[in-house]
Amino acid sequence: MAERFGTRVLDIRTGDREIVHDLTDACTGFLRGTAQGRDGLLNVFVPHATAGIAVIETGAGSDEDLLALLGDLLPADDRWRHRHGPRGHGRDHVLPALVPPHATLPVIGGRLALGTWQSVVLVDTNVSNTDRQVRLSFLG
């Protein structure tokens, strides 16, 4: 079977607050039209210096726990050398070292092979950038 590549860019409005935005349905919809029953890999990538992609449980408090943890590890205060933007914005530029800007996930039979409670999410603590793009790419 020949390998095929498909890609789509999602425009996500994150607003002016820290957010964990669930991308799972968008990934599933993309694969439905692109993977067409094939096995392969889905790469999820956010081309921004202040956001990341994670695989976590959502809806049971884990999203808020993640943001609270990031707030503890990366406080929005004046300790950061990177100083443009609002107070504490330098921490947003450190975020991708902890929550990388990408995830590569298995696709089996055209379906995202996540665990029972796993979701694919965009993590964004940068309250001054309200619009994000996420690129979904399938190779299979």
Side-chain angles (χ1 to χ4, degrees):
M1 178 186 295
E3 290 184 355
R4 291 185 40 204
F5 180 80
T7 190
R8 175 183 301 160
V9 174
L10 306 173
D11 292 311
I12 309 291
R13 179 126 176 101
T14 56
D16 59 357
R17 62 185 176 85
E18 297 179 5
I19 191 168
V20 173
H21 179 85
D22 195 334
L23 300 168
T24 310
D25 288 344
C27 292
T28 300
F30 168 70
L31 289 171
R32 192 172 17 260
T34 304
Q36 299 174 346
R38 294 188 312 274
D39 294 350
L41 295 172
L42 174 67
N43 182 265
V44 183
F45 175 72
V46 57
H48 299 281
T50 59
I53 301 294
V55 177
I56 65 168
E57 177 182 10
T58 59
S62 297
D63 9 14
E64 292 89 0
D65 289 342
L66 175 57
L67 290 175
L69 172 67
L70 291 172
D72 290 344
L73 292 174
L74 305 171
D77 59 20
D78 292 327
R79 74 183 69 205
W80 308 101
R81 291 182 182 96
H82 187 103
R83 298 234 181 215
H84 83 273
R87 182 174 190 258
H89 177 63
R91 75 175 187 138
D92 299 323
H93 288 275
V94 177
L95 173 76
L98 301 175
V99 182
H102 59 87
T104 300
L105 306 163
V107 176
I108 308 297
R111 299 182 65 166
L112 195 53
L114 292 173
T116 302
W117 302 111
Q118 290 180 317
S119 296
V120 182
V121 299
L122 168 68
V123 179
D124 188 0
T125 59
N126 182 355
V127 298
S128 61
N129 189 346
T130 61
D131 297 297
R132 298 297 189 160
Q133 289 188 327
V134 175
R135 178 172 295 280
L136 306 178
S137 300
F138 173 74
L139 177 63

Short mmCIF file of all heavy atoms in Angstrom, two decimals, residues 51-102:
data_model
loop_
_atom_site.label_atom_id
_atom_site.label_comp_id
_atom_site.label_asym_id
_atom_site.label_seq_id
_atom_site.Cartn_x
_atom_site.Cartn_y
_atom_site.Cartn_z
N ALA A 51 3.21 28.19 23.02
CA ALA A 51 2.10 27.24 23.21
C ALA A 51 2.63 25.83 23.04
O ALA A 51 3.73 25.63 22.49
CB ALA A 51 0.97 27.53 22.21
N GLY A 52 1.87 24.86 23.49
CA GLY A 52 2.30 23.47 23.38
C GLY A 52 1.14 22.53 23.13
O GLY A 52 -0.03 22.92 23.17
N ILE A 53 1.48 21.28 22.86
CA ILE A 53 0.52 20.20 22.63
C ILE A 53 0.75 19.13 23.70
O ILE A 53 1.89 18.75 23.95
CB ILE A 53 0.71 19.58 21.22
CG1 ILE A 53 0.54 20.63 20.12
CG2 ILE A 53 -0.23 18.39 21.03
CD1 ILE A 53 -0.86 21.21 19.99
N ALA A 54 -0.33 18.66 24.30
CA ALA A 54 -0.21 17.62 25.33
C ALA A 54 -1.28 16.55 25.10
O ALA A 54 -2.28 16.79 24.43
CB ALA A 54 -0.37 18.22 26.73
N VAL A 55 -1.03 15.38 25.66
CA VAL A 55 -2.02 14.30 25.68
C VAL A 55 -2.34 14.06 27.15
O VAL A 55 -1.49 13.61 27.91
CB VAL A 55 -1.47 13.02 25.00
CG1 VAL A 55 -2.49 11.89 25.11
CG2 VAL A 55 -1.10 13.30 23.55
N ILE A 56 -3.57 14.44 27.54
CA ILE A 56 -3.99 14.31 28.95
C ILE A 56 -5.47 13.96 29.00
O ILE A 56 -6.18 14.02 27.99
CB ILE A 56 -3.76 15.61 29.75
CG1 ILE A 56 -4.64 16.75 29.22
CG2 ILE A 56 -2.31 16.01 29.77
CD1 ILE A 56 -4.68 17.98 30.14
N GLU A 57 -5.94 13.62 30.18
CA GLU A 57 -7.37 13.48 30.43
C GLU A 57 -7.97 14.88 30.55
O GLU A 57 -7.36 15.77 31.14
CB GLU A 57 -7.60 12.71 31.73
CG GLU A 57 -9.06 12.57 32.09
CD GLU A 57 -9.27 11.85 33.42
OE1 GLU A 57 -8.29 11.62 34.15
OE2 GLU A 57 -10.43 11.54 33.72
N THR A 58 -9.14 15.07 29.99
CA THR A 58 -9.82 16.36 30.11
C THR A 58 -11.19 16.17 30.75
O THR A 58 -11.72 15.06 30.78
CB THR A 58 -10.01 17.04 28.74
OG1 THR A 58 -10.78 16.19 27.90
CG2 THR A 58 -8.68 17.35 28.08
N GLY A 59 -11.75 17.25 31.26
CA GLY A 59 -13.12 17.24 31.77
C GLY A 59 -13.28 16.74 33.18
O GLY A 59 -14.36 16.82 33.74
N ALA A 60 -12.22 16.23 33.80
CA ALA A 60 -12.33 15.74 35.18
C ALA A 60 -11.44 16.55 36.11
O ALA A 60 -11.10 16.11 37.19
CB ALA A 60 -11.95 14.26 35.24
N GLY A 61 -11.05 17.75 35.65
CA GLY A 61 -10.21 18.61 36.47
C GLY A 61 -8.75 18.62 36.08
O GLY A 61 -8.00 19.49 36.54
N SER A 62 -8.33 17.68 35.24
CA SER A 62 -6.91 17.62 34.88
C SER A 62 -6.47 18.84 34.09
O SER A 62 -5.32 19.27 34.21
CB SER A 62 -6.62 16.35 34.06
OG SER A 62 -6.87 15.20 34.83
N ASP A 63 -7.37 19.40 33.27
CA ASP A 63 -7.00 20.59 32.49
C ASP A 63 -6.69 21.76 33.44
O ASP A 63 -5.68 22.45 33.29
CB ASP A 63 -8.04 21.00 31.46
CG ASP A 63 -9.36 20.28 31.52
OD1 ASP A 63 -9.67 19.60 32.53
OD2 ASP A 63 -10.11 20.43 30.56
N GLU A 64 -7.54 21.95 34.46
CA GLU A 64 -7.30 23.00 35.44
C GLU A 64 -6.06 22.70 36.28
O GLU A 64 -5.30 23.61 36.63
CB GLU A 64 -8.51 23.19 36.36
CG GLU A 64 -9.72 23.77 35.65
CD GLU A 64 -10.62 22.70 35.04
OE1 GLU A 64 -10.32 21.49 35.14
OE2 GLU A 64 -11.64 23.08 34.43
N ASP A 65 -5.85 21.41 36.59
CA ASP A 65 -4.65 21.02 37.34
C ASP A 65 -3.39 21.33 36.55
O ASP A 65 -2.39 21.79 37.11
CB ASP A 65 -4.68 19.53 37.69
CG ASP A 65 -5.71 19.19 38.75
OD1 ASP A 65 -6.16 20.11 39.47
OD2 ASP A 65 -6.08 18.01 38.85
N LEU A 66 -3.42 21.08 35.25
CA LEU A 66 -2.26 21.37 34.41
C LEU A 66 -1.96 22.87 34.42
O LEU A 66 -0.81 23.28 34.59
CB LEU A 66 -2.49 20.87 32.98
CG LEU A 66 -1.38 21.21 31.97
CD1 LEU A 66 -0.02 20.69 32.42
CD2 LEU A 66 -1.74 20.69 30.59
N LEU A 67 -2.98 23.70 34.25
CA LEU A 67 -2.76 25.14 34.26
C LEU A 67 -2.26 25.61 35.64
O LEU A 67 -1.39 26.48 35.72
CB LEU A 67 -4.04 25.88 33.87
CG LEU A 67 -4.45 25.74 32.41
CD1 LEU A 67 -5.79 26.41 32.16
CD2 LEU A 67 -3.37 26.28 31.47
N ALA A 68 -2.78 25.01 36.72
CA ALA A 68 -2.31 25.36 38.06
C ALA A 68 -0.84 24.98 38.24
O ALA A 68 -0.05 25.75 38.80
CB ALA A 68 -3.18 24.68 39.11
N LEU A 69 -0.47 23.79 37.77
CA LEU A 69 0.92 23.36 37.87
C LEU A 69 1.83 24.29 37.08
O LEU A 69 2.89 24.70 37.57
CB LEU A 69 1.07 21.92 37.34
CG LEU A 69 2.51 21.42 37.21
CD1 LEU A 69 3.13 21.27 38.58
CD2 LEU A 69 2.56 20.13 36.43
N LEU A 70 1.42 24.63 35.86
CA LEU A 70 2.23 25.55 35.06
C LEU A 70 2.34 26.91 35.73
O LEU A 70 3.40 27.55 35.68
CB LEU A 70 1.66 25.68 33.65
CG LEU A 70 1.78 24.42 32.80
CD1 LEU A 70 1.00 24.57 31.49
CD2 LEU A 70 3.24 24.07 32.53
N GLY A 71 1.27 27.36 36.40
CA GLY A 71 1.32 28.60 37.16
C GLY A 71 2.30 28.54 38.31
O GLY A 71 2.99 29.52 38.61
N ASP A 72 2.39 27.36 38.96
CA ASP A 72 3.36 27.18 40.05
C ASP A 72 4.79 27.12 39.52
O ASP A 72 5.71 27.71 40.09
CB ASP A 72 3.06 25.90 40.83
CG ASP A 72 1.79 25.98 41.66
OD1 ASP A 72 1.28 27.11 41.88
OD2 ASP A 72 1.29 24.91 42.07
N LEU A 73 4.99 26.38 38.43
CA LEU A 73 6.33 26.22 37.86
C LEU A 73 6.81 27.47 37.12
O LEU A 73 8.01 27.78 37.14
CB LEU A 73 6.36 25.04 36.89
CG LEU A 73 6.18 23.65 37.45
CD1 LEU A 73 6.07 22.62 36.34
CD2 LEU A 73 7.34 23.32 38.39
N LEU A 74 5.87 28.14 36.47
CA LEU A 74 6.19 29.30 35.63
C LEU A 74 5.31 30.48 36.04
O LEU A 74 4.39 30.86 35.32
CB LEU A 74 5.96 28.96 34.15
CG LEU A 74 6.66 27.74 33.58
CD1 LEU A 74 6.16 27.43 32.18
CD2 LEU A 74 8.16 27.96 33.58
N PRO A 75 5.58 31.09 37.19
CA PRO A 75 4.73 32.18 37.65
C PRO A 75 4.81 33.41 36.72
O PRO A 75 5.85 33.68 36.14
CB PRO A 75 5.26 32.52 39.04
CG PRO A 75 6.45 31.68 39.27
CD PRO A 75 6.65 30.77 38.12
N ALA A 76 3.71 34.11 36.59
CA ALA A 76 3.65 35.31 35.76
C ALA A 76 4.12 36.50 36.59
O ALA A 76 3.33 37.35 37.01
CB ALA A 76 2.23 35.52 35.25
N ASP A 77 5.43 36.54 36.83
CA ASP A 77 6.00 37.65 37.62
C ASP A 77 7.19 38.24 36.87
O ASP A 77 7.39 37.97 35.69
CB ASP A 77 6.35 37.18 39.03
CG ASP A 77 7.36 36.03 39.05
OD1 ASP A 77 8.08 35.83 38.05
OD2 ASP A 77 7.43 35.32 40.07
N ASP A 78 7.99 39.01 37.58
CA ASP A 78 9.08 39.75 36.93
C ASP A 78 10.42 39.03 36.94
O ASP A 78 11.45 39.65 36.66
CB ASP A 78 9.22 41.12 37.61
CG ASP A 78 8.04 42.01 37.32
OD1 ASP A 78 7.48 41.90 36.22
OD2 ASP A 78 7.67 42.79 38.22
N ARG A 79 10.46 37.75 37.21
CA ARG A 79 11.74 37.04 37.26
C ARG A 79 12.34 36.76 35.89
O ARG A 79 13.51 36.45 35.77
CB ARG A 79 11.59 35.73 38.02
CG ARG A 79 10.85 34.66 37.22
CD ARG A 79 10.63 33.37 37.97
NE ARG A 79 9.68 33.63 39.02
CZ ARG A 79 9.60 32.93 40.15
NH1 ARG A 79 10.37 31.90 40.35
NH2 ARG A 79 8.71 33.24 41.07
N TRP A 80 11.55 36.87 34.82
CA TRP A 80 11.95 36.43 33.49
C TRP A 80 12.77 37.49 32.77
O TRP A 80 12.45 38.66 32.79
CB TRP A 80 10.71 36.05 32.67
CG TRP A 80 9.86 35.09 33.44
CD1 TRP A 80 8.73 35.38 34.14
CD2 TRP A 80 10.11 33.71 33.64
NE1 TRP A 80 8.25 34.25 34.75
CE2 TRP A 80 9.09 33.20 34.47
CE3 TRP A 80 11.10 32.83 33.21
CZ2 TRP A 80 9.02 31.88 34.86
CZ3 TRP A 80 11.03 31.51 33.60
CH2 TRP A 80 10.01 31.04 34.41
N ARG A 81 13.83 37.05 32.11
CA ARG A 81 14.68 37.96 31.34
C ARG A 81 14.00 38.40 30.05
O ARG A 81 14.24 39.49 29.56
CB ARG A 81 16.01 37.30 31.05
CG ARG A 81 16.85 37.13 32.30
CD ARG A 81 18.20 36.50 31.98
NE ARG A 81 18.95 36.32 33.19
CZ ARG A 81 19.00 35.18 33.89
NH1 ARG A 81 18.33 34.13 33.47
NH2 ARG A 81 19.70 35.09 34.99
N HIS A 82 13.19 37.53 29.51
CA HIS A 82 12.43 37.86 28.30
C HIS A 82 11.29 38.78 28.75
O HIS A 82 10.34 38.34 29.37
CB HIS A 82 11.88 36.56 27.68
CG HIS A 82 11.21 36.76 26.37
ND1 HIS A 82 11.83 36.43 25.19
CD2 HIS A 82 10.01 37.26 26.03
CE1 HIS A 82 11.02 36.70 24.18
NE2 HIS A 82 9.91 37.20 24.68
N ARG A 83 11.35 40.06 28.40
CA ARG A 83 10.50 41.05 29.06
C ARG A 83 9.46 41.74 28.18
O ARG A 83 8.72 42.56 28.68
CB ARG A 83 11.36 42.12 29.70
CG ARG A 83 12.26 41.54 30.76
CD ARG A 83 12.07 42.25 32.03
NE ARG A 83 12.98 41.68 33.01
CZ ARG A 83 12.69 41.55 34.25
NH1 ARG A 83 11.54 41.97 34.69
NH2 ARG A 83 13.54 41.03 35.08
N HIS A 84 9.38 41.47 26.89
CA HIS A 84 8.34 42.17 26.13
C HIS A 84 6.97 41.59 26.48
O HIS A 84 6.86 40.50 27.01
CB HIS A 84 8.60 42.08 24.61
CG HIS A 84 8.13 40.82 23.98
ND1 HIS A 84 8.91 39.69 23.92
CD2 HIS A 84 6.95 40.49 23.39
CE1 HIS A 84 8.24 38.73 23.33
NE2 HIS A 84 7.04 39.18 23.00
N GLY A 85 5.92 42.33 26.19
CA GLY A 85 4.58 41.86 26.48
C GLY A 85 4.16 42.14 27.90
O GLY A 85 4.82 42.88 28.63
N PRO A 86 3.05 41.55 28.33
CA PRO A 86 2.55 41.81 29.69
C PRO A 86 3.46 41.21 30.75
O PRO A 86 4.33 40.38 30.45
CB PRO A 86 1.17 41.12 29.69
CG PRO A 86 1.25 40.09 28.62
CD PRO A 86 2.20 40.63 27.58
N ARG A 87 3.24 41.60 31.98
CA ARG A 87 4.04 41.11 33.12
C ARG A 87 4.08 39.58 33.11
O ARG A 87 3.04 38.93 33.01
CB ARG A 87 3.44 41.61 34.42
CG ARG A 87 4.21 41.20 35.64
CD ARG A 87 3.62 41.86 36.89
NE ARG A 87 4.47 41.67 38.03
CZ ARG A 87 4.21 40.76 38.98
NH1 ARG A 87 3.15 40.00 38.92
NH2 ARG A 87 5.04 40.64 40.00
N GLY A 88 5.28 39.03 33.20
CA GLY A 88 5.45 37.58 33.27
C GLY A 88 5.41 36.87 31.94
O GLY A 88 5.47 35.64 31.89
N HIS A 89 5.34 37.60 30.83
CA HIS A 89 5.22 36.97 29.52
C HIS A 89 6.43 36.08 29.18
O HIS A 89 6.30 35.12 28.42
CB HIS A 89 5.03 38.04 28.44
CG HIS A 89 4.97 37.52 27.05
ND1 HIS A 89 3.97 36.65 26.62
CD2 HIS A 89 5.78 37.72 25.99
CE1 HIS A 89 4.18 36.36 25.35
NE2 HIS A 89 5.27 36.99 24.95
N GLY A 90 7.56 36.34 29.79
CA GLY A 90 8.74 35.51 29.55
C GLY A 90 8.49 34.04 29.85
O GLY A 90 9.02 33.15 29.20
N ARG A 91 7.62 33.77 30.82
CA ARG A 91 7.30 32.38 31.17
C ARG A 91 6.64 31.66 30.00
O ARG A 91 6.81 30.46 29.83
CB ARG A 91 6.39 32.33 32.38
CG ARG A 91 4.97 32.72 32.02
CD ARG A 91 4.05 32.55 33.16
NE ARG A 91 2.69 32.78 32.73
CZ ARG A 91 1.69 32.03 33.11
NH1 ARG A 91 1.89 31.02 33.92
NH2 ARG A 91 0.48 32.31 32.71
N ASP A 92 5.86 32.40 29.19
CA ASP A 92 5.17 31.78 28.06
C ASP A 92 6.17 31.25 27.04
O ASP A 92 5.90 30.27 26.35
CB ASP A 92 4.23 32.79 27.38
CG ASP A 92 3.15 33.30 28.33
OD1 ASP A 92 2.67 32.50 29.16
OD2 ASP A 92 2.81 34.48 28.24
N HIS A 93 7.34 31.89 26.97
CA HIS A 93 8.38 31.45 26.04
C HIS A 93 9.15 30.24 26.57
O HIS A 93 9.86 29.59 25.81
CB HIS A 93 9.32 32.61 25.71
CG HIS A 93 8.68 33.62 24.82
ND1 HIS A 93 8.66 33.50 23.46
CD2 HIS A 93 7.99 34.75 25.12
CE1 HIS A 93 8.00 34.53 22.94
NE2 HIS A 93 7.58 35.29 23.93
N VAL A 94 9.02 29.95 27.86
CA VAL A 94 9.64 28.77 28.46
C VAL A 94 8.70 27.57 28.38
O VAL A 94 9.13 26.41 28.37
CB VAL A 94 10.05 29.07 29.93
CG1 VAL A 94 10.64 27.84 30.60
CG2 VAL A 94 11.05 30.22 29.96
N LEU A 95 7.41 27.81 28.29
CA LEU A 95 6.39 26.75 28.27
C LEU A 95 6.71 25.62 27.30
O LEU A 95 6.61 24.44 27.68
CB LEU A 95 5.01 27.35 27.96
CG LEU A 95 3.90 26.32 27.74
CD1 LEU A 95 3.45 25.72 29.06
CD2 LEU A 95 2.73 26.94 27.00
N PRO A 96 7.11 25.88 26.04
CA PRO A 96 7.35 24.77 25.11
C PRO A 96 8.48 23.82 25.51
O PRO A 96 8.57 22.71 24.98
CB PRO A 96 7.67 25.47 23.78
CG PRO A 96 6.99 26.79 23.90
CD PRO A 96 7.16 27.18 25.35
N ALA A 97 9.32 24.23 26.47
CA ALA A 97 10.34 23.31 26.98
C ALA A 97 9.70 22.25 27.88
O ALA A 97 10.23 21.15 28.03
CB ALA A 97 11.41 24.07 27.74
N LEU A 98 8.54 22.58 28.48
CA LEU A 98 7.83 21.66 29.36
C LEU A 98 6.66 20.98 28.66
O LEU A 98 6.35 19.82 28.93
CB LEU A 98 7.32 22.40 30.60
CG LEU A 98 8.40 23.07 31.45
CD1 LEU A 98 7.75 23.88 32.57
CD2 LEU A 98 9.36 22.05 32.00
N VAL A 99 5.96 21.71 27.82
CA VAL A 99 4.85 21.19 27.02
C VAL A 99 5.26 21.43 25.57
O VAL A 99 5.11 22.54 25.06
CB VAL A 99 3.52 21.90 27.34
CG1 VAL A 99 2.39 21.30 26.53
CG2 VAL A 99 3.21 21.84 28.83
N PRO A 100 5.81 20.41 24.90
CA PRO A 100 6.38 20.63 23.57
C PRO A 100 5.34 21.08 22.55
O PRO A 100 4.14 20.84 22.73
CB PRO A 100 6.95 19.26 23.20
CG PRO A 100 6.26 18.29 24.08
CD PRO A 100 5.86 19.02 25.33
N PRO A 101 5.79 21.72 21.48
CA PRO A 101 4.86 22.23 20.48
C PRO A 101 4.34 21.17 19.51
O PRO A 101 3.76 21.50 18.48
CB PRO A 101 5.69 23.29 19.75
CG PRO A 101 7.09 22.81 19.88
CD PRO A 101 7.16 22.15 21.23
N HIS A 102 4.53 19.90 19.84
CA HIS A 102 4.13 18.84 18.92
C HIS A 102 3.85 17.54 19.66
O HIS A 102 4.31 17.33 20.78
CB HIS A 102 5.23 18.58 17.89
CG HIS A 102 6.52 18.19 18.55
ND1 HIS A 102 6.82 16.90 18.89
CD2 HIS A 102 7.55 18.93 18.99
CE1 HIS A 102 8.00 16.86 19.49
NE2 HIS A 102 8.46 18.08 19.57
#
